[in-house]
Each structure stands twice: as structure tokens, then as C-alpha cells.
Amino acid sequence: MDIKIYTIPGCHYCDKVKELFNIIGEQYSQVIIGRDLMKSEFDVEFPAAAGFPHVIIDGKEIGSMQNTAKYLVDKGYGKKLRQR
């Protein structure tokens, strides 16, 4: 999987979504808003994004931490996530 996580500093849900990928053993790249990308640029690139984290997997916008958890369960990672 090609995973990109857009995060903001101090975001609890951002930390949790990274933990999900660590549990299943998938590497990801992180883009920190305000350091790696300005918020205004993020808003132009992802106008429908509702908040952070904002997850992209294989070029597809997944969105929030909840959407990402559902996506991973639907892809068969549920057992691995529940073991944690």
C-alpha cells in the first residue's frame, strides 16, 4: 500500500491513525500541515476534507481516522487490529 497521512501537530486522532498502520505493519509517509505543506495548499488539493488526519491510500482519499479504520477492517485487517 502507498499510504500518505496529512496531520497537524498535537492531533490525537492523527496519532491514532498512525498507530493503526503500525499495528498492521504498513509503512506510511506523513505530511505535516504548517511544516511540509501550508493549510491553504491542503485546502486547494483536498477541498472536501473535513479535518485531520486525512489519509490517502493508493491515490484514493480515505479521509478520517474512523474512515481509515473501517477501510482497514473491510480490507481484512480486522483480526490484526483487534489483537492489539
Side-chain angles (χ1 to χ4, degrees):
M1 276 192 274
D2 178 33
I3 303 163
K4 187 178 283 188
I5 306 172
Y6 292 86
T7 67
I8 56 173
C11 170
H12 174 74
Y13 291 114
C14 298
D15 294 339
K16 289 293 184 186
V17 83
K18 291 183 281 188
E19 186 178 328
L20 292 177
F21 290 113
N22 290 334
I23 290 169
I24 66 169
E26 289 289 340
Q27 295 198 353
Y28 54 85
S29 62
Q30 177 178 216
V31 178
I32 299 174
I33 302 302
R35 184 189 81 186
D36 303 321
L37 185 70
M38 298 309 299
K39 174 76 165 74
S40 57
E41 295 171 300
F42 175 84
D43 291 341
V44 168
E45 191 169 346
F46 303 105
F52 295 98
H54 192 70
V55 177
I56 311 295
I57 299 177
D58 296 331
K60 178 182 176 190
E61 285 187 64
I62 305 302
S64 69
M65 195 266 310
Q66 281 185 311
N67 290 351
T68 302
K70 182 182 180 329
Y71 175 89
L72 294 175
V73 168
D74 290 348
K75 292 295 183 182
Y77 290 102
K79 183 176 180 181
K80 215 173 204 182
L81 292 170
R82 283 188 293 274
Q83 290 174 346
R84 184 69 184 215

